[in-house]
Amino acid sequence: MAKRQFKTESKRVLDLMINSVYTHKEIFLRELISNASDAIDKLYFRSLTDDSVSLGKDDYRIEIAPDKDARTLTISDNGCGMDDAALNENLGVIAHSGTLLFKSDASDLETIGQFGVGFYSAFMVSKKVTVLSRPYGSEQAFLWESEGVEGYSVKAAEKETHGTVVTLTLKDDAEDERYGEFLEDYRIRGLIKKYSDYIRYPIFHKSASPREDEADAPAPEPLNSMIPLWRKSKADLTAEDYSGFYKGKFHDFTDPVCTVHYSVEGAVSYTALLFAPSQAPFNYYSRDYEKGLQLYANGVLIMDKCPELLPDYFSFTRGLVDSPDLTLNISREMLQHDRQLKTMAKSIEKRIKGELERLLENERETYENFYKAFGLQLKYGLYSDFGQNADVLKDLVLFHSLAEDKPVTFKEYIEKMPEGQQHIYYVCAETPAKAALLPQTERIREKGYDVLCLTDDVDEFTLKMLRVYDEKEFRSVSGEDAGLTEEEKEAQKEKKEENKDLLAFIREALGDKVSGVTVSSRLGRHPVCLTSEGELTIEMEKVLNQMPQGGGLKANRVLEINASHAVFAAMRSLFVSDREKLKIYANLLYTQALLIEGLPVDDPVAFSEDICSLMV
Ligand code: ADP
């Protein structure tokens, strides 16, 4: 039987799994039990809506059986089972594009965490894994087998009943990695209490050291309480209970940043349990990511990801909604028009917003970390739908303040505005450090005004969409007359008039590279900068030109020359003595302005020749 290869990216995840830190390894049991429970959920749901499935509610079970002699641990379920195609599809690949995996320089744990752990975690403790499975309604079983990265095989096999049996052959013990302990009764019981107590189906444990008189022993008790966590009273639950549940249910390695648990009684009754993760899944900012909450009808899972319950800007939310008012047979189409669901979605949005505001207010560091992962999504939310959601989101976004050198909200920015400042200033740059160095920034900062640094592509579009916050307009530091007082504007006008002919000559020399040339005395020690006039800024031009259909747009660039700089004096005298040389100066200044802006130089060869002509 030929060995099949894991998809490359799966191989890498497997590698990470196999070599992960020992203390994390115990979660494999939680993951496999969670899969078993999901498989039973699928069959149970079918039994409620399909008469051909004849299983009673009490027939379902999960069983854990250690065998010390063989050094194996077996996890069995009588759920839906898998045929050979499903085994290949589900256990041969981790479904995603692999690019991010190879780039990631994060620690192992974080990397795996982005992918969810799932079935592959079995390899954290096993040198060999077999999966014997028979789908419900079929006579044919299949055996999947793998010893890790080398690959896996699938072949036809025999199994008496439907369902799945996962058998782990544990790794050999090493000095401080004692895999054998996962065969001990106390360890298995402890892990199930810790991670899998809420599982709705009974988990039985076949003791590794059975007593002689087993036949006479009373029926075993399940190891788990089987009460869904969200049905327990909030007062009886600890933060650990919630985070343990979250990690098990949603295959995350890290604790959620916040949890919302509430019930509503009334025209629409339901319980919701919501979590915000601490890190973004690897595919979060791609089309592959599916938002949604689990939907339960009176405790029965009817949908794994119901997108209607979450707005796009809160799509990071994981969790579930359980309502006695939903029917089991509800279809996707019906859900889209369901009034009850809309009511729930509204209140869910409010609760998430409230919880994020609470974090921002009381646990700033946690919020900032959350924002690092999901802030971009909030900003997209502000921008999309023509800014319709501004009221929900405008107080949740943060931008880096150059004055305070940390992220601030708009509200915080405004609170610190000195008297006389009319607008909220921002600058677009790769990093706050680069932003601070721009001449345009410096001149605003010299007035004692703070400047927000925009580093993401969407940022400036978002601010343009918002237009104002608390009646203060957003202004780019690169705008035509950013930060100028009336007198300064007047002085600039005079200077411009004085040098009218020189500026016209420079404009002529630069051709259509710029839409205007002007002078100012506000540039401090810098000889030149580029600003823009009109709606489209140079930063927006950069972003739009990266898009497949956005090419060809050009901001109206204005070359602003420092009238107090020695270079300008030199140009004035060249205007009288050597106009050919002045042309070279004009081009050099323009190129310098491009370089300062971080824009590509139009013609590097001409630039080099111009410099050489001045050097010899
Ligand atoms: P996830 O559970 O997050 O989808 P896994 O890697 O744990 O990812 O599992 C992949 C898929 O394999 C599951 O979605 C499910 O379809 C299938 N699967 C895993 N374990 C079982 C099982 N015990 N019974 C039936 N199907 C299973």
Side-chain angles (χ1 to χ4, degrees), residues 29-62:
L29 191 60
R30 167 191 95 186
E31 297 297 315
L32 296 178
I33 289 177
S34 162
N35 280 350
S37 168
D38 290 350
I40 298 178
D41 265 341
K42 281 177 199 159
L43 191 56
Y44 181 54
F45 179 59
R46 251 179 78 191
S47 76
L48 295 174
T49 51
D50 175 350
D51 289 339
S52 71
V53 182
S54 55
L55 275 158
K57 188 176 180 333
D58 300 328
D59 296 335
Y60 299 101
R61 56 193 280 136
I62 298 168

Side-chain angles (χ1 to χ4, degrees), residues 141-184:
F142 295 92
L143 181 69
W144 182 100
E145 215 168 336
S146 171
E147 293 183 14
V149 266
E150 292 313 315
Y152 66 94
S153 62
V154 181
K155 60 183 178 210
E158 304 260 312
K159 187 176 183 307
E160 262 177 40
T161 52
H162 69 272
T164 302
V165 178
V166 178
T167 303
L168 313 177
T169 306
L170 297 180
K171 289 190 196 178
D172 300 331
D173 287 349
E175 203 177 319
D176 48 359
E177 305 196 351
R178 301 197 47 259
Y179 298 95
E181 74 176 41
F182 295 122
L183 300 171
E184 301 293 343

